[in-house]
């Protein structure tokens, strides 16, 4: 087994430290890693926020949040974790408010210093500059940028320039939390740890690929932020394109920091640009109306927002990867809020056998590889088998079924646990490089501009469904259907 870099004693500074992401994801992730013995003694976690809050109030806020999320806390583990926590109020744009932070950091220049920016992206540059201006950037330092890095290519470039003026590219860790998911990393294991699939992973054998990331939740209390952002920017530009990249990329020469990212970048560059006419025929935008999800009545997007809006909460599209391996093979992507249930899956649909030797009255279904990302992580390969018995050749599809829960047992650490440890270890391979983010925005911007040109319609779908009829039609026109809930 490869030896893993150890985690050195660190100071982790979380900007937006009392915010939603920090309380829901980052602090629980750190608590778990602490429980697993991965956080060295003496390491400190400094939460930084704009609001004034006493140390006691912050620690008890974290305790209450963890207790509610984890349904109870181990007293010793919590006491050890609480020791590490402190809270500082700081307004990045107010120079005087930096002083307490400078005092906290003085004398700790030799230890690993990591800063996590869980703030709105327009503050990324000001915070990075704040560190530079006060000579707080040490030789052993990393900066983590939470998504979204910008809302289009120009703003992403601006942020990258501003942060890049203070930190080297190899110190900048841009998060896409999907890359920290165990099952997403398993895609690499599937493709490059087995000799079985790679020779088949090409246009001659594969008919098409489907990627679905469906959520049952609505936008909830993020509705004001979400409106004007929409599903294309929120999910497709990052998570779905990253999944597409991992499916479509060429084998990297190693798992080194840049080898995988170089290959992903080539896929992003090969994505078919969505001109106005392509956008019209190959993409669907939609918004949920009231309905029922898993038996509970839920309001529509407009009711939650309290005003009219044409922001999409659902996107389905067909895109090509224009290279030798994938030319002519459609990739169908679909994501939405308030769909029938939470489900992320990738379907690799193989072509039919080239010549039928069995009685035409028996359906020979093409093989299918289903990669289930969440929940119920696993893989299913559908193959044709002969139904037992003396009655000629009656073929039926059977599944070679691997449930990760049965094979490996239990639940996996949250993606943020893995990613925070990678930051502390200094391993940027699972993070997005500047060129990847900007190229993904470039493609997204073209589609957004085409929607604008087309005045593209926003269809409606009932909450709790699998999306609008137009999404089913997108595949129907090609003689195909979505794997789940067409
Ligand atoms: C975030 C999006 O990046 O991913 C959210 O901003 C979305 O809108 C979330 O709900 C989904 O993540 P997961 O891990 O629950 O699939």
């Amino acid at each position: 087994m490869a030896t893993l870099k150890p985690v050195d004693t660190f100071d982790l500074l979380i900007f937006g430290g009392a915010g939603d992401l920090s309380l829901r994801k980052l602090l629980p992730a750190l608590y778990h890693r602490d429980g697993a013995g991965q956080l060295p003694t003496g390491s400190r976690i400094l939460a930084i926020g704009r609001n004034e809050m006493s140390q006691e109030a912050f620690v008890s806020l974290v305790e209450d949040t963890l207790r509610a999320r984890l349904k109870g806390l181990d007293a010793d583990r919590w006491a050890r974790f609480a020791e590490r926590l402190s809270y500082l109020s700081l307004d990045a744009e107010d120079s005087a408010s930096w002083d307490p932070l400078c005092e906290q950091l003085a004398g700790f220049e030799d230890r690993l210093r990591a800063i996590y920016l869980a703030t709105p992206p327009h503050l990324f540059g000001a915070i990075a500059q704040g560190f530079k201006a006060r000579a707080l950037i040490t030789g052993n330092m990393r900066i983590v940028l939470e998504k979204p890095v910008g809302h289009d290519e120009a703003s992403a470039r601006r942020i990258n320039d501003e942060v890049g003026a203070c930190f080297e590219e190899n110190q900048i860790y841009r998060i896409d939390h999907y890359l920290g998911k165990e099952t997403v990393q398993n895609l690499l294991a599937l493709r490059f740890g087995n000799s079985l699939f790679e020779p088949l992973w090409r246009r001659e054998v594969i008919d098409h690929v489907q990627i679905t990331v469906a959520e049952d939740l609505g936008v909830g209390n993020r509705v004001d932020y979400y409106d004007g952002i929409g599903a294309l920017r929120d999910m497709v530009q990052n998570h779905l394109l990253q999944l597409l990249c991992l499916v479509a990329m060429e084998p990297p020469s190693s798992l080194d920091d840049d080898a995988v990212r170089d290959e992903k970048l080539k896929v992003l560059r090969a994505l078919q640009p969505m001109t106005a006419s392509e956008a019209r025929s190959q993409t669907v935008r939609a918004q949920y109306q009231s309905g029922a999800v898993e038996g509970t009545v839920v309001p529509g997007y407009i009711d939650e927002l309290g005003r009219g809006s044409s922001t999409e909460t659902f996107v389905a599209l067909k895109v090509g990867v224009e290279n030798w391996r994938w030319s002519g093979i459609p990739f169908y992507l679909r994501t939405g809020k308030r769909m029938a249930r939470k489900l992320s899956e990738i379907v690799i649909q193989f072509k039919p056998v080239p010549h039928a030797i069995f009685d035409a009255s028996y359906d020979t279904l093409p093989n299918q590889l289903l990669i289930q990302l969440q929940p119920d992580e696993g893989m299913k390969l559908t193959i044709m088998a002969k139904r037992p018995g003396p009655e000629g050749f009656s073929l039926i599809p059977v599944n070679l079924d691997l449930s990760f829960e049965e094979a490996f047992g239990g639940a996996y650490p949250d993606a943020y646990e893995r990613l925070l440890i990678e930051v502390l270890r200094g391993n940027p391979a699972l993070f997005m490089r500047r060129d990847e983010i900007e190229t993904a925005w470039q493609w997204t911007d073209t589609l957004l501009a085409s929607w604008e040109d087309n005045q593209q319609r926003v269809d409606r779908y009932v909450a709790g469904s699998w999306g609008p009829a137009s999404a089913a039609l997108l595949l129907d026109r090609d003689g195909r259907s979505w794997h789940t809930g067409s």
Side-chain angles (χ1 to χ4, degrees):
M1 215 161 86
T3 35
L4 295 171
K5 288 186 209 164
V7 174
D8 296 329
T9 306
F10 61 83
D11 281 342
L12 173 64
L13 283 53
I14 306 176
F15 283 76
D20 187 56
L21 182 80
S22 176
L23 291 172
R24 267 189 326 108
K25 294 287 185 185
L26 306 181
L27 292 167
L30 291 161
Y31 173 78
H32 285 307
R33 288 301 94 202
D34 199 15
Q38 264 183 315
L39 306 193
T41 317
S43 297
R44 303 187 299 175
I45 300 166
L46 276 69
I48 296 167
R50 289 163 76 108
N51 295 337
E52 294 289 346
M53 196 180 332
S54 69
Q55 171 75 9
E56 294 69 40
F58 176 70
V59 172
S60 95
L61 173 65
V62 177
E63 182 177 4
D64 292 348
T65 314
L66 286 181
R67 201 177 289 287
R69 291 188 69 78
L70 310 179
K71 302 186 176 62
L73 279 183
D74 175 274
D76 290 344
R77 269 174 70 177
W78 164 247
R80 191 174 66 224
F81 186 66
E83 273 290 291
R84 303 181 182 284
L85 299 176
S86 54
Y87 181 82
L88 268 183
S89 143
L90 185 156
D91 175 352
E93 289 162 325
D94 170 11
S95 188
S97 75
W98 282 78
D99 295 347
L101 178 62
C102 297
E103 283 161 28
Q104 288 257 5
L105 295 179
F108 290 92
E109 290 75 13
D110 290 342
R111 63 166 52 179
L112 165 63
R113 186 173 289 175
I115 56 180
Y116 196 118
L117 307 193
T119 63
H122 70 268
L123 291 173
F124 292 175
I127 298 174
Q129 184 54 38
F131 275 82
K132 187 174 178 191
R134 289 164 186 81
L136 296 174
I137 301 184
T138 62
N140 190 9
M141 186 145 181
R142 283 143 219 172
I143 180 168
V144 185
L145 309 186
E146 182 53 50
K147 123 175 206 301
V149 177
H151 56 272
D152 58 12
E153 190 194 353
S155 56
R157 277 187 190 280
R158 195 163 53 246
I159 292 169
N160 284 331
D161 283 346
E162 287 168 1
V163 178
C166 308
F167 292 88
E168 299 295 328
E169 177 63 25
N170 66 7
Q171 296 179 304
I172 305 173
Y173 290 63
R174 299 176 190 82
I175 290 248
D176 184 312
H177 77 277
Y178 267 57
L179 295 178
K181 287 186 191 274
E182 202 63 41
T183 36
V184 173
Q185 290 166 22
N186 236 310
L187 256 175
L188 294 178
L190 174 85
R191 288 195 57 196
F192 309 123
N194 297 287
S195 52
L196 191 61
F197 297 108
E198 205 42 33
L200 309 178
W201 216 256
R202 54 192 66 252
R203 62 190 300 283
E204 293 81 1
V205 191
I206 288 177
D207 178 76
H208 73 276
V209 175
Q210 296 181 16
I211 302 178
T212 293
V213 178
E215 296 185 86
D216 52 354
L217 296 177
V219 286
N221 55 12
R222 294 167 75 221
V223 69
D224 284 321
Y225 156 80
Y226 188 90
D227 196 56
I229 300 274
L232 183 69
R233 287 188 173 101
D234 186 48
M235 295 294 287
V236 178
Q237 184 271 347
N238 36 76
H239 307 321
L240 276 90
L241 289 188
Q242 284 295 310
L243 293 176
L244 185 155
C245 284
L246 293 178
V247 172
M249 72 184 188
E250 294 300 311
S253 60
S254 73
L255 283 182
D256 282 355
D257 299 354
D258 280 327
V260 174
R261 300 192 290 183
D262 285 346
E263 296 307 333
K264 285 195 291 162
L265 180 65
K266 287 184 207 160
V267 176
L268 291 169
R269 288 190 172 143
L271 284 180
Q272 167 205 22
M274 289 282 182
T275 60
S277 73
E278 269 118 21
R280 205 172 297 118
S281 61
Q282 294 178 202
T283 70
V284 170
R285 313 170 65 195
Q287 192 187 75
Y288 61 82
Q289 292 175 309
S290 62
V293 180
E294 314 249 11
T296 306
V297 175
V298 294
Y301 179 79
I302 295 282
D303 309 319
E304 288 174 316
L305 185 65
R307 58 174 186 272
S309 164
S310 58
T311 297
E312 81 284 348
T313 60
F314 174 100
V315 176
L317 58 88
K318 166 172 138 178
V319 66
V321 177
E322 295 178 332
N323 64 18
W324 193 278
R325 186 189 283 259
W326 294 115
S327 175
I329 303 304
F331 285 71
Y332 298 99
L333 273 46
R334 171 177 67 157
T335 185
K337 304 254 181 222
R338 283 278 191 242
M339 293 178 66
R341 63 190 156 92
K342 186 168 175 73
L343 170 86
S344 302
E345 63 177 27
I346 298 174
V347 177
I348 311 292
Q349 181 64 58
F350 292 94
K351 292 193 162 156
V353 291
H355 170 65
I357 63 166
F358 300 104
D359 189 321
S361 58
Y362 304 126
D363 265 352
T364 311
L365 295 178
N367 301 120
Q368 184 182 76
L369 176 65
L370 171 65
I371 304 164
Q372 294 158 305
L373 303 177
Q374 58 185 22
D376 306 329
E377 297 86 348
M379 287 179 198
K380 223 178 256 180
L381 179 64
T382 308
I383 59 168
M384 295 308 293
K386 178 188 169 296
R387 192 188 298 276
E391 305 306 326
F393 262 94
S394 162
L395 297 190
I396 49 164
V398 287
N399 290 331
L400 299 178
D401 201 344
L402 168 68
S403 150
F404 286 6
E405 191 177 348
E406 279 167 28
F408 307 115
Y412 305 112
D414 185 76
Y416 280 95
E417 290 185 46
R418 170 77 193 258
L419 294 174
L420 279 162
I421 290 296
E422 296 295 303
V423 170
L424 296 171
R425 282 200 185 116
N427 180 7
L430 293 178
F431 298 81
M432 315 263 288
R433 223 170 39 195
R434 170 178 188 148
D435 46 10
E436 277 183 85
I437 296 244
E438 290 170 6
T439 310
W441 273 125
Q442 212 172 64
W443 180 86
T444 309
D445 284 354
T446 307
L447 174 50
L448 284 164
S450 297
W451 279 353
E452 180 95 31
D453 286 355
N454 292 344
Q455 301 276 296
Q456 190 120 348
R457 210 181 52 230
V458 181
D459 295 335
R460 309 283 152 184
Y461 62 102
V462 177
S465 70
W466 286 100
S470 46
L473 251 176
L474 181 72
L475 271 73
D476 198 44
R477 281 201 301 267
D478 294 345
R480 299 176 176 120
S481 58
W482 292 105
H483 173 257
T484 306
S486 192

